[in-house]
Amino acid sequence: MSEERSYPTGIGTSSEDTIELLGVDLAADVLGQVTFGELAYWLATKRLPTAGQLRVFEAVLASLADHGYTPTAIAARMTYYSAPDSIQGAIAAGLLGGGSRFLGVTEDTGQFLAEAVTGLGDVTGYGEGEWDDVARELVAAARAEGRKIPGLGHPVHKQGDPRTPVMFRIAREEGVFGAHLALFEAIGRVHAEVLGRQLPLNGAGVAGACLVDAGLPVGLLRGFALLARTAGLIGHLAEEQENPVGPSIYAEVDRHARYVPPADETPTD
Amino acid sequence: MSEERSYPTGIGTSSEDTIELLGVDLAADVLGQVTFGELAYWLATKRLPTAGQLRVFEAVLASLADHGYTPTAIAARMTYYSAPDSIQGAIAAGLLGGGSRFLGVTEDTGQFLAEAVTGLGDVTGYGEGEWDDVARELVAAARAEGRKIPGLGHPVHKQGDPRTPVMFRIAREEGVFGAHLALFEAIGRVHAEVLGRQLPLNGAGVAGACLVDAGLPVGLLRGFALLARTAGLIGHLAEEQENPVGPSIYAEVDRHARYVPPADETPTD
Amino acid sequence: MSEERSYPTGIGTSSEDTIELLGVDLAADVLGQVTFGELAYWLATKRLPTAGQLRVFEAVLASLADHGYTPTAIAARMTYYSAPDSIQGAIAAGLLGGGSRFLGVTEDTGQFLAEAVTGLGDVTGYGEGEWDDVARELVAAARAEGRKIPGLGHPVHKQGDPRTPVMFRIAREEGVFGAHLALFEAIGRVHAEVLGRQLPLNGAGVAGACLVDAGLPVGLLRGFALLARTAGLIGHLAEEQENPVGPSIYAEVDRHARYVPPADETPTD
Amino acid sequence: MSEERSYPTGIGTSSEDTIELLGVDLAADVLGQVTFGELAYWLATKRLPTAGQLRVFEAVLASLADHGYTPTAIAARMTYYSAPDSIQGAIAAGLLGGGSRFLGVTEDTGQFLAEAVTGLGDVTGYGEGEWDDVARELVAAARAEGRKIPGLGHPVHKQGDPRTPVMFRIAREEGVFGAHLALFEAIGRVHAEVLGRQLPLNGAGVAGACLVDAGLPVGLLRGFALLARTAGLIGHLAEEQENPVGPSIYAEVDRHARYVPPADETPTD
């Protein structure tokens, strides 16, 4: 009975002679024939992407790979400085910043759009007008509840995130522009009517919309941001090996530490 | 003086209107035009790969992306089960197993070969005979000191790792077969003379040799194994979301726990 | 102007001659004079605990330190097996499971109670009757919204978690039994009236209530569960060094892997 | 046959009615009766410490808990800033810096001393003279091989680490001053004869010697540094919740980023 236990997986198996990945022969059918982006898509979905889905997916990964000295890059560099024997630790430390604030917008936007689209039922034949109506309602509802629309606004690119129009164009070129991008674009058109000011659709948000329209699972969007970021973190660690800034950041913070005594308070008991 | 502080980087910068990555305009020159593999190579080396380097690099990433239920995959699935709210934590936990035992062979082999090749000086004109001589000396030296040759031997693929000949072929097709692959191949030819038994050149080892010959930095080889593994871990987490095995693994271990008192007096087994 | 930058902290500073921790001389006033539990409390709150607060705090830490082969312990052991060169990676992997499912109850319960208590205003003079009324309302509200009451119920200890009455007793003995424990205890008394079945107050939940009544910050309760668990993980790694189970768990899962092809579906485009 | 599988552990087990930890009843015999330091010692060694061992152990933990704005504290704060929803990620990121450079000295020193002491055989009756002879030999051997003596030297406390004499005193008071501390102290007396300059015995090193003499396992010394540091990191995160410096550190680094083109032709600095 308990002998029948088994752990199902569709990813990898191997015997003495062969290694299978995703049900095909790794050596014969994968190596040299599938790009890394294709493989990442395949592993996540169990389907090979179309050429269009792949181009959009890889554009998304490129758009998320690195944003300079983000907190995650700083954390990775600090960790490498402190434990240079463990590159995995430095990358892991960098990825651990991939939460709500800096890397979560992609996921939040994709989930927000997916929920809205799912609620609509059949959207065949929707044109800009219909999407604008949906968007107006969403923005108004969010405003009424004091929620922000994910993917809207950017602290630096206030007049428009340069990635956004390019991602829309690529998705259109590749026939991957679906309901989620259409709705996101509509949010870009109509939100000012409701909110009273014009905000940019940011690149992390459009990345989320693209991933969903390109067929990636909504529950894993943060994972792709992390995959992209892993490549960026390797770039930061390569620099840290060549021309480190870790010691300078440490020195900067340590030397400018200022001791602050605890807030004067009466004993708590 | 301290005002002159600055943190140099060649990766990313942005202004209100533009985002630059690696010195070019991200939106205009990267998105939709560079594959993710190309970008990862570029970030690590500050050079775009040749078509041949890229194909070898992506074949290496594919060969390392997943090996089924490795300890790292199990750690990631356990962590996801325990903290499903933090995908970054599950991926980080998986990568943290990327150390000496399971993911370190790629790095160890690449470093071992790079050190040997560097010690040779000019190897132009080396043919199989010369490489065999070098390999014999290395294997004999390792044997004399009781060290293992990294990349040699495999617990499962005892008659030959199916990835190895394919990787050699791809590197040759692409003109990327250089000194490190030549030396690794020579080790495969001559080690039995010295050690008295035939061992396979394993796939993790050939991956290390390929990465060095494809121009990737020797100090970061483990990083590429981790990048590849990130894609594999996303595949595991996608399965865990659909059809989890985490609860079964936990139940299996928990139910078969056996309490063993401390070994104050008698041995524990 | 930017020269005035500074990074305030009340934790540690040092000069060539002295090291200060929390505003006192580490060597003269801390070493050998403060227990580790006391120090952990002090670091988190900037106050030394009273003797009663300390005893409750240390009882909580003991109650959370280890629960056998939890997913977090398995993740740590897998990671150690895979990367034995990096103990920090194994501990970090174990802690990363400290999320919503296995280690989050302490925090969730503490926050739930704190929110409820804060909403009550002055609770001086509340007796069991008043707390029962509050508890009835909370349980009814949670039921109406389909939410669970955190800290209520346990998959194994269905007739009562053995830790719970002991923690209540210790808190009473030490005069640390405050509003949060009183409300939690009341939930234990009245929930069956509302829910129609009797559930145990679990040990993780009572830990959360204790921490708040012992003066620890509500926003950091998960941190104390993680501190406790670090001690437990060190115990697991000590065992893994002496008498490892990592290889057995890996073998168990790997050997009972069962390949499952992707759900048969038509192409998505 | 495979039915006989079992996963031995001496840490925790539970049934519906009881929870056992280390072979005793958690509720009856641990909660409220064992301090957290005692429990951590017990979990790591399966033995309760003597009062003296415990005081030395807790003094070591206090000495390692925090050193201000170390790279690990900065990494934890950056990660918290970026992913405030995941305290476990911030603590894990902080611990991942616990590698060779900043937290490894304790382990390195303990292992160095343990290896030397083990090599001596019976050291009963050794006095200062004998230890000085051993120390001279070790320092001379290290010097001849170009190795550093771990635990010797400090970048800030050049005239003496204030923790060191206090730790020696406490260990003596508690009767825990054994071979490892004796040898470490001897290194402090004689190294200048061999090296030609006086260096301080640092606090991380004396911590390693203390841990071994207090009966903790040599293979886990880094683990205790990590346990101590977890308490320190909780202190940093408590401050980050109250009065964050994460945004300032990020702004400092981001604003002073300086783009450096790849060094194809000209040096990068």
Side-chain angles (χ1 to χ4, degrees), chain D residues 24-37:
Chain D
V24 304
D25 187 300
L26 174 70
D29 301 328
V30 178
L31 300 185
Q33 301 181 48
V34 171
T35 70
F36 184 54

Side-chain angles (χ1 to χ4, degrees), chain B residues 17-242:
Chain B
D17 301 325
T18 62
I19 302 175
E20 295 221 331
L21 190 68
L22 296 156
V24 304
D25 186 302
L26 174 70
D29 301 328
V30 178
L31 300 185
Q33 302 183 48
V34 171
T35 70
F36 184 54
E38 232 170 333
L39 181 66
Y41 187 107
W42 195 7
L43 280 161
T45 64
K46 305 276 169 80
R47 282 179 285 107
L48 279 168
T50 65
Q53 288 173 331
L54 178 60
R55 186 159 168 247
V56 170
F57 179 55
E58 300 208 279
V60 167
L61 293 179
S63 78
L64 298 174
D66 193 75
H67 300 153
Y69 282 125
T70 52
T72 69
I74 297 171
R77 286 178 181 254
M78 286 288 102
T79 303
Y80 182 76
Y81 174 41
S82 191
D85 44 317
S86 166
I87 283 179
Q88 70 271 26
I91 293 179
L95 294 181
L96 288 171
S100 52
R101 197 166 327 199
F102 272 78
L103 235 58
V105 178
T106 296
E107 178 175 75
D108 293 344
T109 307
Q111 289 180 346
F112 173 80
L113 296 171
E115 204 173 299
V117 167
T118 302
L120 293 173
D122 185 6
V123 297
T124 329
Y126 267 45
E128 286 201 357
E130 286 83 357
W131 287 118
D132 284 358
D133 290 344
V134 176
R136 251 180 230 106
E137 223 170 286
L138 281 174
V139 178
R143 194 196 194 186
E145 298 170 31
R147 283 184 293 104
K148 286 191 174 180
I149 297 284
L152 196 59
H154 196 284
V156 176
H157 307 299
K158 295 185 182 175
Q159 304 303 316
D161 187 315
R163 292 167 293 188
T164 304
V166 178
M167 295 302 298
F168 279 127
R169 175 179 54 73
I170 293 170
R172 283 205 163 87
E173 284 170 11
E174 301 296 344
V176 170
F177 193 99
H180 304 87
L181 281 161
L183 176 54
F184 193 57
E185 199 177 43
I187 290 171
R189 281 193 302 268
V190 307
H191 72 272
E193 294 173 28
V194 185
L195 304 179
R197 62 193 180 121
Q198 186 72 33
L199 295 166
L201 295 174
N202 64 46
V206 77
C210 281
L211 287 171
V212 183
D213 273 346
L216 281 314
V218 174
L220 264 182
L221 301 184
R222 191 183 293 189
F224 302 109
L226 295 165
L227 174 63
R229 191 49 56 98
T230 303
L233 290 170
I234 288 173
H236 282 278
L237 296 179
E239 291 201 335
E240 207 62 23
Q241 290 187 339
E242 289 286 314

Side-chain angles (χ1 to χ4, degrees), chain B residues 3 5-13 20-24 45-47 83 85-86 88 96 252-254 256-264, chain D residues 3 5-13 20-24 45-47 83 85-86 88 96 252-254 256-264:
Chain B
E3 267 314 308
R5 73 197 185 275
S6 77
Y7 307 100
T9 179
I11 297 180
T13 53
E20 295 221 331
L21 190 68
L22 296 156
V24 304
T45 64
K46 305 276 169 80
R47 282 179 285 107
D85 44 317
S86 166
Q88 70 271 26
L96 288 171
E252 156 70 20
V253 179
D254 188 49
H256 295 86
R258 178 169 52 90
Y259 178 72
V260 176
D264 277 337
Chain D
E3 266 315 308
R5 73 196 185 276
S6 77
Y7 308 100
T9 179
I11 297 180
T13 52
E20 295 221 331
L21 190 69
L22 296 156
V24 304
T45 63
K46 305 278 169 79
R47 281 179 286 106
D85 44 317
S86 166
Q88 72 269 27
L96 288 171
E252 156 70 21
V253 179
D254 188 50
H256 296 86
R258 178 169 51 91
Y259 179 72
V260 176
D264 278 337

